[in-house]
């Protein structure tokens, strides 16, 4: 079964069957104002903070047939009553003649045809805007005139999203709605929680006269809510009640008597859902977007924005699914993840105080910084502000208030209150930013550490370089019985919490990779002393990792506090972990034979046709000592599931060993674009990576969940572009070191890098995976495969010939 197709020309995925296995979504706007729009027109919109300033009520757990957040009803007279349907299919579920949801870059367009009426609704948030716009075009495609009413509708939540779910007295007592008519007689229906009435007002309005409105759900559904969203009783009457809610479950419904539409005729209605301090403050922008020309202009700005962002890299490889992913869908997801972190999706529901994760965002930044360097730097600055003086980091923070916390570790008595990996990711992120932009001045910028005095003033500041040094120093000192990095509360794998004294081979290797970056940086800066120190740390940790971490066929993953290994052949469950093998290669700690053996063990024991499992065999019962990992059945999530975030690390490791065929096979098997024909097994959107797929120990092997907000996006993009295609920014230039499938004849790429355009053509006449024998820049042979920085605003032609020396 297929639910849609990729329209690469228009950079859209088009859903043609609304009954997808789960809701598929798109993002509109940003965390400043925006949210998710599902493929049946539902929307979860918030402003600034999904936990504390949520606007629409969208509860993903209720059935897909129900209306969530927003919808539109259309109706026309039929006999004595009305024929009512929603052009979004949900919630009326009427039979349709056409249904298309175009998932575009920054917009969603739903085109449908019911009862001879074609409707096209474009949903978006203008760049930098604080309103969601729905541009609704209704066309009569029947052969008779129809008298149409249009009733767009929004259901509100209390701004405190969790309170909405936990307090059914305080919440409805505070919710109110009020209508305003502006000088043109157009209606603005406002809604607010009483305490916010003078500061934070939601508004719902349109650019056409409203003949009546409703602000109370009970009145709209009718019969004490025994009317339903599929069949609201108020729509059987000519007009809505014009009730201004003083309490209760607030909605906004605006009844427009659109009038008679002749065959072939189209009418247009534009709605706005926004938030402002007051209606008066919002008026200029409300009036602006009532003008269809202004809406058209705002919509046109979206492709211009995405063109700029995506034009940093465009590729042409022999694999159409890879092209689609690398050129559009993966970089789009890479833009979404640093923005929304793990705040708001259909799986990460943004309740409570989770905020932005230090580890997650540091990795997300790396996927977006080529296209959005300014935004990347802004986020890096924020991350560094929650870096502690001792060098480790606060685990999570609210990006608006900059209040941080220690994540789940604070809830476990006696557990270490830091995560051993968090602060090391920032060294990778900052150095990636420097290599992309060349902006070394950033290293000298002073940024305060997290700790404050009684007056809220930072106790200490340091330059960005100093922050990186402290991060390294923390892990160097934080060593356990084998001299390996202590685990802290956990490392990247949140679900293994072994208590104080446990050691993590993952963190030891991440430390190694961070040191490689620091070594390269200090070399570039000419800082001999630091170079010598970091080289010594590196060699020491490498020696310890190899002395204690090798388990005869692969590397172990942890030592618990009493020295027992996990991820060892001696264990019954969790014998081998993917990250235990990929990271010693990425860090360069593994000598060639061990690197090969470790990756072979991944292939033999962890690889499946749906991706590489995180570990195997899964634990098959709850064990409070091992913690969260054992809460999942075998094959799910971290417990033997295909935790996709870890797959690109194996791909990167394979390219480092020159195994382009294998790296590509692993990439191809997780490419969501290639899942389009197998969606009934996979279920999630084929245009983004999910976080997890059930592994082969689970009866529902192949089922994906937790799409969109995952570190998979950033790492899959890095794996494809930096390692398979091999286009790697370095301090002194753009390294071109492909590791591709041997059957490829080559590929082309256009890469913008530090103020010039590199038009790259790679040819592979000997059908090898890795190796470059000739590099020509603008027709001239250069030594090596690092193409210099030009910064001259011009286009340079780079011809790469692959081959082994002597071939
Ligand atoms: C999801 C969390 O957001 C991320 O920080 C963690 O690394 C992975 N789970 C793996 O446990």
């Amino acid at each position: 079964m297929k639910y849609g197709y990729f329209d690469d020309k228009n950079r859209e995925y088009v859903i043609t069957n609304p009954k997808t296995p789960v809701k598929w979504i798109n993002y509109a706007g940003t965390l400043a104002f925006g949210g998710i729009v599902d493929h049946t027109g539902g929307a979860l919109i918030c402003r600034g903070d999904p936990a504390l300033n949520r606007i629409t009520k969208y509860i993903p757990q209720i059935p897909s047939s129900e209306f969530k957040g927003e919808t539109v009803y259309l109706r026309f007279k039929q006999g004595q009553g009305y024929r009512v349907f929603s052009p979004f299919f949900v919630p009326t579920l009427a039979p349709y003649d056409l249904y298309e949801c175009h998932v575009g870059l920054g917009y969603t367009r739903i085109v449908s045809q019911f009862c001879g009426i074609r409707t096209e609704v474009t949903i978006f948030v203008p760049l930098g805007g604080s309103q969601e716009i729905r541009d609704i075009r209704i066309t009569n495609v029947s052969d008779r005139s129809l008298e149409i009413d249009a009733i767009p509708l929004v259901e509100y939540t209390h701004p405190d999203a969790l309170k909405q779910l936990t307090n059914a007295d305080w919440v409805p007592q505070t919710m109110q709605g009020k209508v305003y008519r502006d000088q043109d007689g157009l209606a603005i229906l406002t809604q607010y929680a009483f305490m916010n009435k003078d500061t934070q007002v939601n508004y719902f309005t349109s650019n056409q006269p409203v003949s009546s409105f409703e602000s109370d759900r009970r009145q709209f559904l009718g019969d004490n809510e025994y009317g339903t969203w599929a069949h609201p009783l108020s729509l059987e009457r000519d007009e809505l009640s014009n009730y201004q809610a003083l309490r209760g479950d607030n909605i906004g419904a605006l009844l427009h008597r659109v009038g008679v539409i002749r065959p072939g005729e189209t009418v247009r209605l534009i709605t706005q859902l926004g938030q402002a301090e007051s209606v008066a403050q919002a008026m200029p922008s409300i009036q602006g977007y009532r003008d269809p020309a202004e809406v058209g202009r705002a919509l046109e700005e979206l492709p211009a924005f995405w063109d700029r962002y995506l034009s940093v890299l465009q590729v042409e490889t022999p694999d159409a699914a890879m092209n689609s992913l690398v050129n559009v869908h993966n970089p789009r997801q890479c833009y979404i993840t640093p923005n929304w972190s793990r705040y708001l999706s259909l799986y990460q529901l943004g309740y409570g105080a989770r905020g932005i994760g230090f580890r997650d965002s540091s990795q997300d930044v790396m996927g977006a910084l080529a296209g959005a360097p300014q935004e990347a730097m802004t986020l890096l600055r924020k991350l560094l502000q929650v870096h502690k003086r001792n060098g480790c980091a606060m685990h999570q923070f609210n990006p608006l208030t900059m209040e941080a916390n220690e994540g789940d570790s604070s809830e476990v008595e006696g557990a270490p209150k830091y995560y051993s990996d968090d602060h090391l990711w920032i060294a990778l992120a900052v150095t990636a930013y420097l290599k992309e932009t060349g902006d070394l001045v950033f290293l000298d910028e002073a940024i305060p550490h997290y700790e404050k005095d009684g007056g809220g003033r930072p106790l200490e500041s340091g330059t960005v370089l100093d922050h990186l040094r402290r991060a390294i120093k923390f892990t160097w000192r934080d060593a356990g019985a084998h001299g390996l990095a202590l685990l802290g509360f956990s490392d990247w794998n949140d679900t293994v919490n072994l208590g104080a004294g446990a050691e993590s081979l993952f963190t030891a290797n991440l430390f190694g990779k961070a040191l490689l970056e620091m070594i390269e940086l200090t070399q570039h800066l000419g800082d001999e002393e630091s170079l010598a120190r970091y080289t010594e740390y590196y060699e020491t940790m490498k020696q310890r990792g190899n002395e204690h971490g090798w388990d005869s066929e692969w590397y172990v993953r942890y030592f618990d506090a009493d020295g027992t290994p996990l991820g060892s052949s001696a264990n019954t469950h969790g014998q081998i972990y993917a990250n235990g093998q990929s990271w010693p290669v990425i860090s360069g700690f593994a000598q060639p034979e061990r690197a090969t053996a470790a990756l072979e063990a991944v292939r033999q024991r962890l690889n499946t046709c749906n991706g590489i499992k995180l570990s195997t065999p899964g634990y098959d019962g709850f064990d409070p000592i091992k913690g969260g990992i054992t809460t999942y059945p075998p094959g799910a999530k971290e417990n033997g599931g295909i935790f996709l975030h870890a797959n690109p690390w194996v791909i990167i490791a394979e390219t480092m060993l020159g195994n382009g065929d294998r790296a590509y096979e692993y990439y191809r098997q997780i490419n969501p674009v290639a899942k389009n024909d197998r969606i009934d097994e996979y279920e999630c959107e084929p245009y983004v990576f999910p976080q997890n797929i059930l592994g082969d120990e689970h009866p529902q092997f192949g089922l994906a969940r937790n799409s969109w907000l995952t570190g998979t996006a950033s790492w899959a993009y890095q794996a494809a572009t930096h390692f398979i295609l091999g286009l790697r920014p370095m301090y002194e230039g753009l390294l071109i070191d492909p590791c591709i499938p041997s059957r490829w004849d080559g590929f082309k790429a256009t890469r913008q890098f530090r103020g010039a355009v590199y038009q790259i053509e790679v040819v592979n006449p000997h059908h090898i995976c890795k190796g470059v024998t000739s590099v020509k820049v603008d027709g001239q042979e250069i030594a090596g495969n690092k193409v210099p920085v030009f910064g001259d605003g011009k286009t340079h032609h780079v011809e790469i010939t692959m081959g082994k020396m002597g071939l």
Side-chain angles (χ1 to χ4, degrees):
M1 183 78 179
K2 266 195 185 182
Y3 293 87
Y5 62 91
F6 284 89
D7 176 354
D8 285 342
K9 191 164 150 278
N10 291 308
R11 301 188 296 193
E12 290 178 343
Y13 183 85
V14 185
I15 299 165
T16 51
N17 176 352
K19 294 187 199 165
T20 52
V22 288
K23 290 274 178 183
W24 290 357
I25 64 158
N26 195 2
Y27 282 79
T30 64
L31 187 54
F33 184 96
I36 61 183
V37 176
D38 76 36
H39 75 284
T40 56
L44 201 179
I45 302 294
C46 44
R47 184 175 180 211
D49 186 344
L52 296 177
N53 192 2
R54 196 171 288 210
I55 298 172
T56 59
K57 187 198 283 177
Y58 189 113
I59 301 175
Q61 294 96 331
I62 64 175
S64 294
S65 53
E66 291 289 320
F67 139 76
K68 297 172 194 177
E70 276 187 86
T71 196
V72 176
Y73 293 94
L74 296 180
R75 69 178 188 179
F76 57 90
K77 277 259 186 236
Q78 198 174 54
Q80 292 311 300
Y82 288 99
R83 176 96 164 85
V84 180
F85 68 90
S86 168
F88 297 150
F89 182 63
V90 163
T92 52
L93 310 180
Y96 56 87
D97 297 316
L98 170 78
Y99 193 88
E100 287 178 358
C101 172
H102 296 245
V103 181
L105 294 171
Y107 67 89
T108 297
R109 179 173 297 125
I110 297 175
V111 183
S112 65
Q113 198 173 305
F114 292 81
C115 317
I117 299 168
R118 179 187 163 95
T119 316
E120 186 180 315
V121 184
T122 305
I123 305 167
F124 73 105
V125 172
L127 290 181
S130 48
Q131 58 284 98
E132 183 226 51
I133 290 178
R134 294 190 171 211
D135 184 357
I136 307 168
R137 291 162 203 247
I138 307 164
T139 305
N140 182 352
V141 290
S142 78
D143 51 11
R144 62 197 169 110
S145 291
L146 292 169
E147 193 176 338
I148 308 273
D149 296 340
I151 307 99
L153 184 142
V154 48
E155 185 177 18
Y156 292 106
T157 169
H158 190 278
D160 184 331
L162 193 55
K163 279 277 163 42
Q164 171 71 48
L165 301 181
T166 58
N167 195 325
D169 184 20
W170 182 72
V171 165
Q173 300 293 7
T174 64
M175 302 279 273
Q176 300 195 336
K178 193 169 179 180
V179 75
Y180 292 82
R181 296 270 172 187
D182 65 17
Q183 71 264 33
D184 307 321
L186 297 180
I188 302 163
L189 193 52
T190 64
Q191 190 280 336
Y192 43 82
F194 180 73
M195 64 192 188
N196 296 335
K197 70 179 170 27
D198 299 322
T199 52
Q200 189 177 296
V201 175
N202 300 322
Y203 61 84
F204 190 45
T205 186
S206 73
N207 67 341
Q208 300 290 341
V210 163
S211 70
S212 55
F213 66 87
E214 184 55 74
S215 60
D216 181 74
R217 190 176 73 184
R218 192 154 76 151
Q219 304 255 14
F220 184 78
L221 295 175
D223 222 0
N224 289 334
E225 295 206 341
Y226 288 91
T228 63
W229 289 120
H231 187 185
L233 300 179
S234 64
L235 292 186
E236 289 179 358
R237 290 194 298 274
D238 288 343
E239 294 295 345
L240 300 174
S241 78
N242 288 333
Y243 178 70
Q244 303 190 59
L246 302 171
R247 64 174 306 287
D249 293 304
N250 292 176
I251 63 164
L254 303 172
L255 194 152
H256 301 81
R257 296 207 164 271
V258 173
V260 175
I261 311 183
R262 288 189 301 274
E265 199 186 346
T266 300
V267 295
R268 193 165 168 193
L269 171 70
I270 296 166
T271 64
Q272 298 178 47
L273 170 66
Q275 189 185 85
E277 232 170 70
S278 63
V279 170
Q281 194 222 15
M283 234 22 237
S285 112
I286 289 179
Q287 267 159 347
Y289 288 122
R290 279 189 177 147
D291 176 2
E294 192 58 37
V295 170
R297 271 193 292 280
L299 195 54
E300 272 166 26
E301 281 176 10
L302 293 177
F305 165 83
W306 286 100
D307 280 346
R308 268 196 310 280
Y309 172 72
L310 296 175
S311 62
V312 161
L313 177 66
Q314 288 292 293
V315 305
E316 217 181 298
T317 77
D319 176 352
M322 182 170 184
N323 296 343
S324 186
L325 189 62
V326 169
N327 291 334
V328 181
H329 303 286
N330 194 180
R332 182 250 307 269
Q333 191 178 359
C334 286
Y335 188 79
I336 296 293
T337 48
N339 191 333
W340 292 94
S341 184
R342 305 298 174 265
Y343 249 133
L344 197 66
S345 72
L346 290 186
Y347 308 91
Q348 322 230 18
L349 302 184
Y351 297 124
R354 189 194 187 281
I356 277 190
F358 192 94
R359 162 205 298 150
D360 295 331
S361 297
S362 302
Q363 294 171 79
D364 292 344
V365 158
M366 296 167 78
L369 52 81
Q374 204 53 43
E375 280 141 294
M377 188 178 68
T378 306
L379 185 50
L380 288 173
R381 278 193 184 123
K382 287 197 167 181
L383 288 161
L384 289 165
Q385 283 170 47
V386 298
H387 187 215
K388 295 188 0 175
R389 288 189 296 169
N390 69 359
C392 75
M394 299 298 287
H395 191 57
Q396 292 166 181
F397 67 100
N398 180 320
L400 290 177
T401 61
M402 292 307 292
E403 246 169 73
N405 63 64
E406 284 152 341
D408 289 346
S409 70
S410 55
E411 284 160 31
V412 183
E413 213 180 305
K417 295 290 176 272
Y418 69 97
Y419 293 68
S420 60
D421 63 322
D422 277 346
H423 52 282
L424 295 171
W425 294 111
I426 198 74
L428 270 57
V430 169
T431 51
Y433 168 80
L434 299 175
K435 287 176 175 177
E436 179 66 44
T437 60
D439 175 19
L440 291 177
V441 176
F442 183 52
L443 282 174
D444 300 329
E445 186 173 319
I447 296 188
H449 284 278
Y450 185 63
E451 293 90 341
K452 315 273 185 311
D453 67 13
R457 286 172 296 268
L459 287 177
E460 203 179 341
S461 281
T463 64
V464 170
L465 183 58
D466 183 49
H467 278 271
L468 303 191
R469 290 185 195 286
R470 286 195 195 201
I472 296 289
K473 200 191 271 176
F474 180 87
T475 301
W476 175 244
R477 291 185 173 164
D478 197 45
H482 299 91
L484 297 162
L486 284 169
L487 176 65
F489 182 68
S490 85
D491 60 26
W492 172 89
N493 189 335
D494 278 333
T495 62
V496 178
N497 315 113
L498 301 173
E503 289 166 292
S504 161
L505 269 294
F506 176 87
T507 303
N509 283 295
L510 178 61
F511 181 58
K513 173 64 182 160
L515 283 167
L516 286 181
E517 293 298 341
M518 293 305 284
I519 288 169
E520 221 180 313
L521 176 64
T522 47
Q523 231 158 14
H524 186 66
L525 298 176
D527 175 355
E528 295 296 331
E529 195 192 318
S530 305
L531 175 62
R533 188 169 55 253
Y534 293 142
T535 308
E536 187 208 323
Y537 291 178
Y538 180 83
E539 292 302 334
T540 309
M541 194 55 82
K542 177 177 179 177
Q543 185 271 327
R544 292 174 188 165
N546 278 301
E547 186 183 338
H548 305 293
W550 186 247
D551 190 57
S552 87
E553 283 180 70
W554 58 81
Y555 285 99
V556 302
R557 178 66 174 81
Y558 307 91
F559 288 106
D560 72 12
D562 59 22
T564 308
L566 275 83
S568 151
S569 53
N571 303 127
T572 317
H573 300 282
Q575 287 181 336
I576 174 168
Y577 282 75
N579 291 342
Q581 318 318 315
S582 53
W583 275 89
V585 182
I586 294 172
S587 67
F589 282 179
Q591 298 98 337
E593 319 78 67
R594 285 190 177 179
T596 304
L599 294 186
E600 191 51 35
V602 169
R603 184 160 189 87
Q604 296 307 326
R605 291 165 186 267
L606 295 170
N607 189 39
T608 77
C609 60
N610 286 311
I612 297 162
K613 296 182 283 183
L614 192 62
S615 62
T616 203
Y619 298 97
D620 65 359
F622 179 61
D623 173 354
I625 307 287
K626 301 216 168 50
I629 190 167
T630 64
T631 61
Y632 296 109
K637 298 266 287 188
E638 283 95 336
N639 189 23
I642 300 164
F643 207 98
L644 231 50
H645 188 149
N647 276 236
W649 292 331
V650 179
I651 296 171
I652 291 170
E654 289 287 2
T655 65
M656 293 175 77
L657 299 194
N659 300 327
D661 288 319
R662 222 184 236 188
Y664 174 72
E665 180 195 330
Y666 289 162
Y667 181 74
R668 171 94 195 159
Q669 76 192 4
I670 60 164
N671 183 344
V673 176
K675 308 267 187 202
N676 200 35
D677 300 337
R678 293 167 39 205
I679 285 295
D680 281 324
E681 167 189 292
Y682 181 77
E683 294 201 350
C684 278
E685 297 94 326
Y687 44 88
V688 288
F689 283 104
Q691 182 213 57
N692 64 82
I693 298 176
L694 289 172
D696 56 5
E697 285 184 81
H698 195 285
Q700 283 167 285
F701 174 47
L703 180 85
R705 280 295 181 270
N706 206 343
S707 52
W708 284 94
L709 302 184
T710 159
T712 316
S714 169
W715 283 105
Y717 191 65
Q718 293 180 65
T721 61
H722 291 184
F723 292 91
I724 296 179
L725 303 180
L727 311 173
R728 264 199 307 286
M730 308 291 277
Y731 291 108
E732 309 84 8
L734 185 66
L735 183 76
I736 306 187
D737 187 22
C739 184
I740 57 177
S742 52
R743 67 173 180 279
W744 280 13
D745 293 327
F747 66 91
K748 291 183 184 161
T750 305
R751 176 69 154 91
Q752 291 171 16
F753 179 63
R754 301 216 213 146
V757 178
Y758 296 64
Q759 201 103 57
I760 301 160
E761 183 163 8
V762 175
V763 292
N764 186 19
H766 305 290
H767 288 277
I768 58 168
C769 290
K770 195 170 186 168
V772 168
T773 43
S774 151
V775 179
K776 282 190 188 158
V777 179
D778 297 325
Q780 300 291 314
E781 191 87 39
I782 65 162
N785 54 349
K786 204 183 285 168
V787 185
V789 174
F790 296 109
D792 56 5
K794 294 194 180 138
T795 298
H796 297 272
H797 296 274
V798 183
E799 297 160 71
I800 305 280
T801 307
M802 292 177 68
K804 297 253 181 262
M805 286 305 166
L807 266 180

